PDB file of all heavy atoms in Angstrom:
ATOM      1  N   ALA B 391     -60.276 -41.777-116.554  1.00 94.00           N
ATOM      2  CA  ALA B 391     -59.793 -41.975-117.930  1.00 94.00           C
ATOM      3  C   ALA B 391     -59.165 -43.352-118.098  1.00 94.00           C
ATOM      4  O   ALA B 391     -59.293 -43.991-119.150  1.00 94.00           O
ATOM      5  CB  ALA B 391     -58.780 -40.883-118.267  1.00 94.00           C
ATOM      6  N   ARG B 392     -58.512 -43.795-117.048  1.00 95.00           N
ATOM      7  CA  ARG B 392     -57.783 -45.065-117.156  1.00 95.00           C
ATOM      8  C   ARG B 392     -58.675 -46.279-116.934  1.00 95.00           C
ATOM      9  O   ARG B 392     -58.221 -47.420-116.990  1.00 95.00           O
ATOM     10  CB  ARG B 392     -56.594 -45.060-116.189  1.00 95.00           C
ATOM     11  CG  ARG B 392     -55.555 -44.030-116.595  1.00 95.00           C
ATOM     12  CD  ARG B 392     -54.459 -43.898-115.585  1.00 95.00           C
ATOM     13  NE  ARG B 392     -53.649 -45.107-115.494  1.00 95.00           N
ATOM     14  CZ  ARG B 392     -52.698 -45.295-114.587  1.00 95.00           C
ATOM     15  NH1 ARG B 392     -52.440 -44.359-113.705  1.00 95.00           N
ATOM     16  NH2 ARG B 392     -51.998 -46.410-114.572  1.00 95.00           N
ATOM     17  N   LEU B 393     -59.970 -46.029-116.693  1.00 92.00           N
ATOM     18  CA  LEU B 393     -60.909 -47.149-116.581  1.00 92.00           C
ATOM     19  C   LEU B 393     -61.302 -47.652-117.968  1.00 92.00           C
ATOM     20  O   LEU B 393     -61.801 -48.760-118.129  1.00 92.00           O
ATOM     21  CB  LEU B 393     -62.159 -46.716-115.814  1.00 92.00           C
ATOM     22  CG  LEU B 393     -61.946 -46.449-114.316  1.00 92.00           C
ATOM     23  CD1 LEU B 393     -63.157 -45.765-113.698  1.00 92.00           C
ATOM     24  CD2 LEU B 393     -61.640 -47.752-113.576  1.00 92.00           C
ATOM     25  N   LYS B 394     -61.070 -46.811-118.984  1.00 92.00           N
ATOM     26  CA  LYS B 394     -61.423 -47.217-120.349  1.00 92.00           C
ATOM     27  C   LYS B 394     -60.352 -48.177-120.874  1.00 92.00           C
ATOM     28  O   LYS B 394     -59.157 -47.866-120.852  1.00 92.00           O
ATOM     29  CB  LYS B 394     -61.486 -45.984-121.253  1.00 92.00           C
ATOM     30  CG  LYS B 394     -62.477 -44.956-120.744  1.00 92.00           C
ATOM     31  CD  LYS B 394     -62.907 -44.010-121.854  1.00 92.00           C
ATOM     32  CE  LYS B 394     -63.932 -43.018-121.334  1.00 92.00           C
ATOM     33  NZ  LYS B 394     -63.360 -41.728-120.931  1.00 92.00           N
ATOM     34  N   PRO B 395     -60.791 -49.333-121.371  1.00 90.00           N
ATOM     35  CA  PRO B 395     -59.825 -50.376-121.753  1.00 90.00           C
ATOM     36  C   PRO B 395     -58.849 -49.939-122.848  1.00 90.00           C
ATOM     37  O   PRO B 395     -57.748 -50.482-122.949  1.00 90.00           O
ATOM     38  CB  PRO B 395     -60.697 -51.533-122.251  1.00 90.00           C
ATOM     39  CG  PRO B 395     -62.112 -51.158-121.982  1.00 90.00           C
ATOM     40  CD  PRO B 395     -62.183 -49.737-121.548  1.00 90.00           C
ATOM     41  N   ASP B 396     -59.229 -48.929-123.679  1.00 92.00           N
ATOM     42  CA  ASP B 396     -58.307 -48.545-124.751  1.00 92.00           C
ATOM     43  C   ASP B 396     -57.301 -47.466-124.313  1.00 92.00           C
ATOM     44  O   ASP B 396     -56.471 -47.020-125.096  1.00 92.00           O
ATOM     45  CB  ASP B 396     -59.091 -48.091-125.997  1.00 92.00           C
ATOM     46  CG  ASP B 396     -60.057 -46.952-125.660  1.00 92.00           C
ATOM     47  OD1 ASP B 396     -60.265 -46.699-124.456  1.00 92.00           O
ATOM     48  OD2 ASP B 396     -60.581 -46.327-126.601  1.00 92.00           O
ATOM     49  N   HIS B 397     -57.359 -47.037-123.037  1.00 93.00           N
ATOM     50  CA  HIS B 397     -56.380 -46.059-122.541  1.00 93.00           C
ATOM     51  C   HIS B 397     -55.000 -46.724-122.530  1.00 93.00           C
ATOM     52  O   HIS B 397     -54.873 -47.883-122.147  1.00 93.00           O
ATOM     53  CB  HIS B 397     -56.770 -45.613-121.131  1.00 93.00           C
ATOM     54  CG  HIS B 397     -55.950 -44.467-120.621  1.00 93.00           C
ATOM     55  ND1 HIS B 397     -54.697 -44.649-120.074  1.00 93.00           N
ATOM     56  CD2 HIS B 397     -56.192 -43.134-120.590  1.00 93.00           C
ATOM     57  CE1 HIS B 397     -54.204 -43.464-119.724  1.00 93.00           C
ATOM     58  NE2 HIS B 397     -55.092 -42.537-120.021  1.00 93.00           N
ATOM     59  N   PRO B 398     -53.948 -45.964-122.963  1.00 90.00           N
ATOM     60  CA  PRO B 398     -52.624 -46.611-122.996  1.00 90.00           C
ATOM     61  C   PRO B 398     -52.146 -47.118-121.626  1.00 90.00           C
ATOM     62  O   PRO B 398     -51.329 -48.030-121.560  1.00 90.00           O
ATOM     63  CB  PRO B 398     -51.687 -45.500-123.517  1.00 90.00           C
ATOM     64  CG  PRO B 398     -52.500 -44.251-123.572  1.00 90.00           C
ATOM     65  CD  PRO B 398     -53.947 -44.605-123.497  1.00 90.00           C
ATOM     66  N   GLN B 399     -52.661 -46.490-120.575  1.00 91.00           N
ATOM     67  CA  GLN B 399     -52.276 -46.994-119.245  1.00 91.00           C
ATOM     68  C   GLN B 399     -53.508 -47.478-118.476  1.00 91.00           C
ATOM     69  O   GLN B 399     -53.667 -47.215-117.275  1.00 91.00           O
ATOM     70  CB  GLN B 399     -51.559 -45.908-118.457  1.00 91.00           C
ATOM     71  CG  GLN B 399     -50.204 -45.565-119.065  1.00 91.00           C
ATOM     72  CD  GLN B 399     -49.485 -44.477-118.314  1.00 91.00           C
ATOM     73  OE1 GLN B 399     -50.100 -43.623-117.683  1.00 91.00           O
ATOM     74  NE2 GLN B 399     -48.166 -44.497-118.404  1.00 91.00           N
ATOM     75  N   ALA B 400     -54.369 -48.192-119.201  1.00 93.00           N
ATOM     76  CA  ALA B 400     -55.616 -48.672-118.580  1.00 93.00           C
ATOM     77  C   ALA B 400     -55.301 -49.617-117.415  1.00 93.00           C
ATOM     78  O   ALA B 400     -54.340 -50.380-117.474  1.00 93.00           O
ATOM     79  CB  ALA B 400     -56.450 -49.397-119.622  1.00 93.00           C
ATOM     80  N   TYR B 401     -56.121 -49.515-116.364  1.00 94.00           N
ATOM     81  CA  TYR B 401     -55.944 -50.440-115.236  1.00 94.00           C
ATOM     82  C   TYR B 401     -56.307 -51.845-115.670  1.00 94.00           C
ATOM     83  O   TYR B 401     -57.165 -52.041-116.535  1.00 94.00           O
ATOM     84  CB  TYR B 401     -56.881 -50.067-114.079  1.00 94.00           C
ATOM     85  CG  TYR B 401     -56.678 -48.671-113.527  1.00 94.00           C
ATOM     86  CD1 TYR B 401     -57.717 -47.744-113.541  1.00 94.00           C
ATOM     87  CD2 TYR B 401     -55.461 -48.304-112.967  1.00 94.00           C
ATOM     88  CE1 TYR B 401     -57.543 -46.468-113.017  1.00 94.00           C
ATOM     89  CE2 TYR B 401     -55.282 -47.029-112.440  1.00 94.00           C
ATOM     90  CZ  TYR B 401     -56.313 -46.115-112.476  1.00 94.00           C
ATOM     91  OH  TYR B 401     -56.144 -44.861-111.956  1.00 94.00           O
ATOM     92  N   GLU B 402     -55.694 -52.825-115.020  1.00 92.00           N
ATOM     93  CA  GLU B 402     -56.143 -54.212-115.216  1.00 92.00           C
ATOM     94  C   GLU B 402     -57.292 -54.453-114.246  1.00 92.00           C
ATOM     95  O   GLU B 402     -57.271 -53.946-113.122  1.00 92.00           O
ATOM     96  CB  GLU B 402     -55.013 -55.178-114.840  1.00 92.00           C
ATOM     97  CG  GLU B 402     -53.923 -55.296-115.869  1.00 92.00           C
ATOM     98  CD  GLU B 402     -52.853 -56.253-115.372  1.00 92.00           C
ATOM     99  OE1 GLU B 402     -51.939 -55.779-114.665  1.00 92.00           O
ATOM    100  OE2 GLU B 402     -52.952 -57.458-115.669  1.00 92.00           O
ATOM    101  N   ARG B 403     -58.244 -55.235-114.690  1.00 92.00           N
ATOM    102  CA  ARG B 403     -59.321 -55.617-113.760  1.00 92.00           C
ATOM    103  C   ARG B 403     -58.998 -57.000-113.232  1.00 92.00           C
ATOM    104  O   ARG B 403     -58.879 -57.948-114.005  1.00 92.00           O
ATOM    105  CB  ARG B 403     -60.672 -55.642-114.468  1.00 92.00           C
ATOM    106  CG  ARG B 403     -61.173 -54.259-114.759  1.00 92.00           C
ATOM    107  CD  ARG B 403     -62.664 -54.200-115.001  1.00 92.00           C
ATOM    108  NE  ARG B 403     -63.035 -52.785-115.106  1.00 92.00           N
ATOM    109  CZ  ARG B 403     -63.381 -52.043-114.058  1.00 92.00           C
ATOM    110  NH1 ARG B 403     -63.450 -52.575-112.859  1.00 92.00           N
ATOM    111  NH2 ARG B 403     -63.673 -50.768-114.219  1.00 92.00           N
ATOM    112  N   LEU B 404     -58.844 -57.111-111.945  1.00 92.00           N
ATOM    113  CA  LEU B 404     -58.450 -58.395-111.370  1.00 92.00           C
ATOM    114  C   LEU B 404     -59.604 -59.004-110.588  1.00 92.00           C
ATOM    115  O   LEU B 404     -60.381 -58.304-109.943  1.00 92.00           O
ATOM    116  CB  LEU B 404     -57.284 -58.234-110.391  1.00 92.00           C
ATOM    117  CG  LEU B 404     -56.001 -57.541-110.858  1.00 92.00           C
ATOM    118  CD1 LEU B 404     -54.974 -57.556-109.727  1.00 92.00           C
ATOM    119  CD2 LEU B 404     -55.430 -58.233-112.091  1.00 92.00           C
ATOM    120  N   GLN B 405     -59.692 -60.303-110.686  1.00 93.00           N
ATOM    121  CA  GLN B 405     -60.565 -61.018-109.771  1.00 93.00           C
ATOM    122  C   GLN B 405     -59.776 -62.250-109.385  1.00 93.00           C
ATOM    123  O   GLN B 405     -59.608 -63.162-110.202  1.00 93.00           O
ATOM    124  CB  GLN B 405     -61.866 -61.400-110.470  1.00 93.00           C
ATOM    125  CG  GLN B 405     -62.787 -62.096-109.508  1.00 93.00           C
ATOM    126  CD  GLN B 405     -64.231 -62.067-109.994  1.00 93.00           C
ATOM    127  OE1 GLN B 405     -64.484 -61.974-111.200  1.00 93.00           O
ATOM    128  NE2 GLN B 405     -65.174 -62.169-109.081  1.00 93.00           N
ATOM    129  N   GLU B 406     -59.220 -62.220-108.224  1.00 92.00           N
ATOM    130  CA  GLU B 406     -58.327 -63.316-107.876  1.00 92.00           C
ATOM    131  C   GLU B 406     -58.283 -63.567-106.374  1.00 92.00           C
ATOM    132  O   GLU B 406     -58.626 -62.705-105.572  1.00 92.00           O
ATOM    133  CB  GLU B 406     -56.914 -63.048-108.438  1.00 92.00           C
ATOM    134  CG  GLU B 406     -56.324 -61.722-108.047  1.00 92.00           C
ATOM    135  CD  GLU B 406     -55.034 -61.366-108.818  1.00 92.00           C
ATOM    136  OE1 GLU B 406     -54.911 -61.694-110.008  1.00 92.00           O
ATOM    137  OE2 GLU B 406     -54.143 -60.775-108.182  1.00 92.00           O
ATOM    138  N   GLU B 407     -57.858 -64.763-106.077  1.00 93.00           N
ATOM    139  CA  GLU B 407     -57.694 -65.174-104.680  1.00 93.00           C
ATOM    140  C   GLU B 407     -56.312 -64.687-104.231  1.00 93.00           C
ATOM    141  O   GLU B 407     -55.301 -65.004-104.878  1.00 93.00           O
ATOM    142  CB  GLU B 407     -57.758 -66.706-104.657  1.00 93.00           C
ATOM    143  CG  GLU B 407     -57.935 -67.355-103.333  1.00 93.00           C
ATOM    144  CD  GLU B 407     -59.340 -67.186-102.745  1.00 93.00           C
ATOM    145  OE1 GLU B 407     -60.232 -66.584-103.386  1.00 93.00           O
ATOM    146  OE2 GLU B 407     -59.515 -67.642-101.637  1.00 93.00           O
ATOM    147  N   ASN B 408     -56.244 -63.872-103.182  1.00 95.00           N
ATOM    148  CA  ASN B 408     -54.958 -63.323-102.746  1.00 95.00           C
ATOM    149  C   ASN B 408     -54.787 -63.482-101.244  1.00 95.00           C
ATOM    150  O   ASN B 408     -55.765 -63.644-100.515  1.00 95.00           O
ATOM    151  CB  ASN B 408     -54.900 -61.809-103.015  1.00 95.00           C
ATOM    152  CG  ASN B 408     -54.732 -61.493-104.478  1.00 95.00           C
ATOM    153  OD1 ASN B 408     -54.354 -62.345-105.259  1.00 95.00           O
ATOM    154  ND2 ASN B 408     -55.025 -60.264-104.834  1.00 95.00           N
ATOM    155  N   TYR B 409     -53.551 -63.318-100.825  1.00 98.00           N
ATOM    156  CA  TYR B 409     -53.321 -63.145 -99.390  1.00 98.00           C
ATOM    157  C   TYR B 409     -53.446 -61.659 -99.072  1.00 98.00           C
ATOM    158  O   TYR B 409     -53.083 -60.807 -99.881  1.00 98.00           O
ATOM    159  CB  TYR B 409     -51.932 -63.638 -99.004  1.00 98.00           C
ATOM    160  CG  TYR B 409     -51.834 -65.141 -99.018  1.00 98.00           C
ATOM    161  CD1 TYR B 409     -51.311 -65.819-100.121  1.00 98.00           C
ATOM    162  CD2 TYR B 409     -52.281 -65.892 -97.929  1.00 98.00           C
ATOM    163  CE1 TYR B 409     -51.240 -67.199-100.141  1.00 98.00           C
ATOM    164  CE2 TYR B 409     -52.200 -67.284 -97.938  1.00 98.00           C
ATOM    165  CZ  TYR B 409     -51.681 -67.928 -99.050  1.00 98.00           C
ATOM    166  OH  TYR B 409     -51.613 -69.292 -99.067  1.00 98.00           O
ATOM    167  N   PHE B 410     -53.968 -61.376 -97.886  1.00 98.00           N
ATOM    168  CA  PHE B 410     -54.128 -60.004 -97.422  1.00 98.00           C
ATOM    169  C   PHE B 410     -53.339 -59.776 -96.142  1.00 98.00           C
ATOM    170  O   PHE B 410     -53.136 -60.707 -95.356  1.00 98.00           O
ATOM    171  CB  PHE B 410     -55.618 -59.695 -97.143  1.00 98.00           C
ATOM    172  CG  PHE B 410     -56.392 -59.382 -98.387  1.00 98.00           C
ATOM    173  CD1 PHE B 410     -56.685 -60.372 -99.309  1.00 98.00           C
ATOM    174  CD2 PHE B 410     -56.823 -58.081 -98.629  1.00 98.00           C
ATOM    175  CE1 PHE B 410     -57.392 -60.079-100.474  1.00 98.00           C
ATOM    176  CE2 PHE B 410     -57.532 -57.776 -99.790  1.00 98.00           C
ATOM    177  CZ  PHE B 410     -57.816 -58.774-100.714  1.00 98.00           C
ATOM    178  N   PHE B 411     -52.934 -58.549 -95.944  1.00 98.00           N
ATOM    179  CA  PHE B 411     -52.220 -58.167 -94.714  1.00 98.00           C
ATOM    180  C   PHE B 411     -53.116 -57.223 -93.916  1.00 98.00           C
ATOM    181  O   PHE B 411     -53.708 -56.298 -94.476  1.00 98.00           O
ATOM    182  CB  PHE B 411     -50.898 -57.477 -95.091  1.00 98.00           C
ATOM    183  CG  PHE B 411     -50.121 -56.942 -93.920  1.00 98.00           C
ATOM    184  CD1 PHE B 411     -49.590 -57.796 -92.964  1.00 98.00           C
ATOM    185  CD2 PHE B 411     -49.912 -55.571 -93.780  1.00 98.00           C
ATOM    186  CE1 PHE B 411     -48.860 -57.303 -91.888  1.00 98.00           C
ATOM    187  CE2 PHE B 411     -49.184 -55.071 -92.701  1.00 98.00           C
ATOM    188  CZ  PHE B 411     -48.661 -55.939 -91.756  1.00 98.00           C
ATOM    189  N   ARG B 412     -53.196 -57.466 -92.601  1.00 98.00           N
ATOM    190  CA  ARG B 412     -54.085 -56.662 -91.743  1.00 98.00           C
ATOM    191  C   ARG B 412     -53.486 -55.282 -91.453  1.00 98.00           C
ATOM    192  O   ARG B 412     -53.112 -54.954 -90.329  1.00 98.00           O
ATOM    193  CB  ARG B 412     -54.282 -57.361 -90.396  1.00 98.00           C
ATOM    194  CG  ARG B 412     -55.247 -58.501 -90.444  1.00 98.00           C
ATOM    195  CD  ARG B 412     -55.501 -59.068 -89.046  1.00 98.00           C
ATOM    196  NE  ARG B 412     -55.588 -60.505 -89.114  1.00 98.00           N
ATOM    197  CZ  ARG B 412     -56.635 -61.155 -89.591  1.00 98.00           C
ATOM    198  NH1 ARG B 412     -57.702 -60.494 -90.011  1.00 98.00           N
ATOM    199  NH2 ARG B 412     -56.629 -62.471 -89.649  1.00 98.00           N
ATOM    200  N   LEU B 413     -53.435 -54.478 -92.488  1.00 98.00           N
ATOM    201  CA  LEU B 413     -52.882 -53.132 -92.349  1.00 98.00           C
ATOM    202  C   LEU B 413     -53.751 -52.274 -91.429  1.00 98.00           C
ATOM    203  O   LEU B 413     -53.256 -51.470 -90.639  1.00 98.00           O
ATOM    204  CB  LEU B 413     -52.784 -52.498 -93.750  1.00 98.00           C
ATOM    205  CG  LEU B 413     -52.167 -51.128 -93.875  1.00 98.00           C
ATOM    206  CD1 LEU B 413     -50.730 -51.138 -93.393  1.00 98.00           C
ATOM    207  CD2 LEU B 413     -52.204 -50.659 -95.337  1.00 98.00           C
ATOM    208  N   SER B 414     -55.074 -52.476 -91.531  1.00 98.00           N
ATOM    209  CA  SER B 414     -56.016 -51.642 -90.765  1.00 98.00           C
ATOM    210  C   SER B 414     -55.734 -51.705 -89.261  1.00 98.00           C
ATOM    211  O   SER B 414     -55.888 -50.720 -88.548  1.00 98.00           O
ATOM    212  CB  SER B 414     -57.447 -52.085 -91.034  1.00 98.00           C
ATOM    213  OG  SER B 414     -57.573 -53.456 -90.731  1.00 98.00           O
ATOM    214  N   LYS B 415     -55.257 -52.851 -88.837  1.00 98.00           N
ATOM    215  CA  LYS B 415     -54.991 -53.065 -87.414  1.00 98.00           C
ATOM    216  C   LYS B 415     -53.966 -52.061 -86.859  1.00 98.00           C
ATOM    217  O   LYS B 415     -53.974 -51.748 -85.681  1.00 98.00           O
ATOM    218  CB  LYS B 415     -54.454 -54.496 -87.294  1.00 98.00           C
ATOM    219  CG  LYS B 415     -53.961 -54.943 -85.963  1.00 98.00           C
ATOM    220  CD  LYS B 415     -53.555 -56.418 -86.043  1.00 98.00           C
ATOM    221  CE  LYS B 415     -52.538 -56.759 -84.957  1.00 98.00           C
ATOM    222  NZ  LYS B 415     -51.998 -58.108 -85.123  1.00 98.00           N
ATOM    223  N   TYR B 416     -53.103 -51.581 -87.724  1.00 98.00           N
ATOM    224  CA  TYR B 416     -51.993 -50.740 -87.250  1.00 98.00           C
ATOM    225  C   TYR B 416     -52.233 -49.242 -87.414  1.00 98.00           C
ATOM    226  O   TYR B 416     -51.362 -48.438 -87.103  1.00 98.00           O
ATOM    227  CB  TYR B 416     -50.703 -51.157 -87.972  1.00 98.00           C
ATOM    228  CG  TYR B 416     -50.280 -52.557 -87.602  1.00 98.00           C
ATOM    229  CD1 TYR B 416     -50.497 -53.620 -88.470  1.00 98.00           C
ATOM    230  CD2 TYR B 416     -49.716 -52.819 -86.353  1.00 98.00           C
ATOM    231  CE1 TYR B 416     -50.141 -54.918 -88.110  1.00 98.00           C
ATOM    232  CE2 TYR B 416     -49.361 -54.106 -85.984  1.00 98.00           C
ATOM    233  CZ  TYR B 416     -49.571 -55.147 -86.867  1.00 98.00           C
ATOM    234  OH  TYR B 416     -49.219 -56.414 -86.502  1.00 98.00           O
ATOM    235  N   ASN B 417     -53.405 -48.887 -87.940  1.00 98.00           N
ATOM    236  CA  ASN B 417     -53.683 -47.479 -88.221  1.00 98.00           C
ATOM    237  C   ASN B 417     -53.335 -46.552 -87.048  1.00 98.00           C
ATOM    238  O   ASN B 417     -52.589 -45.583 -87.192  1.00 98.00           O
ATOM    239  CB  ASN B 417     -55.165 -47.325 -88.592  1.00 98.00           C
ATOM    240  CG  ASN B 417     -55.451 -45.998 -89.245  1.00 98.00           C
ATOM    241  OD1 ASN B 417     -55.247 -45.839 -90.445  1.00 98.00           O
ATOM    242  ND2 ASN B 417     -55.881 -45.010 -88.465  1.00 98.00           N
ATOM    243  N   ASP B 418     -53.853 -46.871 -85.876  1.00 98.00           N
ATOM    244  CA  ASP B 418     -53.709 -45.947 -84.749  1.00 98.00           C
ATOM    245  C   ASP B 418     -52.285 -45.915 -84.204  1.00 98.00           C
ATOM    246  O   ASP B 418     -51.791 -44.855 -83.821  1.00 98.00           O
ATOM    247  CB  ASP B 418     -54.705 -46.296 -83.641  1.00 98.00           C
ATOM    248  CG  ASP B 418     -56.122 -46.001 -84.111  1.00 98.00           C
ATOM    249  OD1 ASP B 418     -56.259 -45.333 -85.175  1.00 98.00           O
ATOM    250  OD2 ASP B 418     -57.086 -46.438 -83.454  1.00 98.00           O
ATOM    251  N   GLN B 419     -51.646 -47.073 -84.220  1.00 98.00           N
ATOM    252  CA  GLN B 419     -50.261 -47.112 -83.752  1.00 98.00           C
ATOM    253  C   GLN B 419     -49.359 -46.264 -84.645  1.00 98.00           C
ATOM    254  O   GLN B 419     -48.481 -45.554 -84.172  1.00 98.00           O
ATOM    255  CB  GLN B 419     -49.748 -48.553 -83.784  1.00 98.00           C
ATOM    256  CG  GLN B 419     -49.855 -49.277 -82.457  1.00 98.00           C
ATOM    257  CD  GLN B 419     -49.456 -50.727 -82.634  1.00 98.00           C
ATOM    258  OE1 GLN B 419     -50.241 -51.532 -83.144  1.00 98.00           O
ATOM    259  NE2 GLN B 419     -48.241 -51.063 -82.223  1.00 98.00           N
ATOM    260  N   ILE B 420     -49.602 -46.360 -85.931  1.00 98.00           N
ATOM    261  CA  ILE B 420     -48.760 -45.590 -86.869  1.00 98.00           C
ATOM    262  C   ILE B 420     -49.023 -44.094 -86.699  1.00 98.00           C
ATOM    263  O   ILE B 420     -48.102 -43.280 -86.684  1.00 98.00           O
ATOM    264  CB  ILE B 420     -49.000 -46.048 -88.320  1.00 98.00           C
ATOM    265  CG1 ILE B 420     -48.551 -47.500 -88.474  1.00 98.00           C
ATOM    266  CG2 ILE B 420     -48.251 -45.171 -89.306  1.00 98.00           C
ATOM    267  CD1 ILE B 420     -48.930 -48.131 -89.791  1.00 98.00           C
ATOM    268  N   LYS B 421     -50.302 -43.777 -86.561  1.00 98.00           N
ATOM    269  CA  LYS B 421     -50.665 -42.367 -86.357  1.00 98.00           C
ATOM    270  C   LYS B 421     -49.915 -41.806 -85.142  1.00 98.00           C
ATOM    271  O   LYS B 421     -49.346 -40.719 -85.189  1.00 98.00           O
ATOM    272  CB  LYS B 421     -52.182 -42.279 -86.135  1.00 98.00           C
ATOM    273  CG  LYS B 421     -52.747 -40.907 -86.331  1.00 98.00           C
ATOM    274  CD  LYS B 421     -54.253 -40.934 -86.452  1.00 98.00           C
ATOM    275  CE  LYS B 421     -54.907 -41.477 -85.186  1.00 98.00           C
ATOM    276  NZ  LYS B 421     -56.344 -41.708 -85.321  1.00 98.00           N
ATOM    277  N   GLU B 422     -49.902 -42.575 -84.088  1.00 98.00           N
ATOM    278  CA  GLU B 422     -49.228 -42.161 -82.854  1.00 98.00           C
ATOM    279  C   GLU B 422     -47.720 -41.971 -83.074  1.00 98.00           C
ATOM    280  O   GLU B 422     -47.127 -40.989 -82.630  1.00 98.00           O
ATOM    281  CB  GLU B 422     -49.506 -43.244 -81.789  1.00 98.00           C
ATOM    282  CG  GLU B 422     -49.260 -42.836 -80.354  1.00 98.00           C
ATOM    283  CD  GLU B 422     -49.988 -41.550 -79.945  1.00 98.00           C
ATOM    284  OE1 GLU B 422     -51.025 -41.208 -80.558  1.00 98.00           O
ATOM    285  OE2 GLU B 422     -49.472 -40.873 -79.031  1.00 98.00           O
ATOM    286  N   LEU B 423     -47.126 -42.922 -83.776  1.00 98.00           N
ATOM    287  CA  LEU B 423     -45.681 -42.833 -84.045  1.00 98.00           C
ATOM    288  C   LEU B 423     -45.342 -41.555 -84.812  1.00 98.00           C
ATOM    289  O   LEU B 423     -44.346 -40.891 -84.533  1.00 98.00           O
ATOM    290  CB  LEU B 423     -45.219 -44.036 -84.885  1.00 98.00           C
ATOM    291  CG  LEU B 423     -45.044 -45.370 -84.157  1.00 98.00           C
ATOM    292  CD1 LEU B 423     -44.831 -46.500 -85.162  1.00 98.00           C
ATOM    293  CD2 LEU B 423     -43.837 -45.280 -83.204  1.00 98.00           C
TER     294      LEU B 423
END
Side-chain angles (χ1 to χ4, degrees):
R392 294 174 66 187
L393 290 169
K394 302 201 178 96
D396 56 348
H397 189 279
Q399 293 179 332
Y401 300 121
E402 283 179 273
R403 287 200 173 271
L404 305 182
Q405 182 160 26
E406 54 190 36
E407 194 72 2
N408 287 343
Y409 287 97
F410 280 71
F411 176 65
R412 282 185 219 285
L413 183 61
S414 56
K415 174 177 156 188
Y416 294 103
N417 195 83
D418 292 348
Q419 264 174 282
I420 296 171
K421 198 165 62 189
E422 197 53 25
L423 283 170

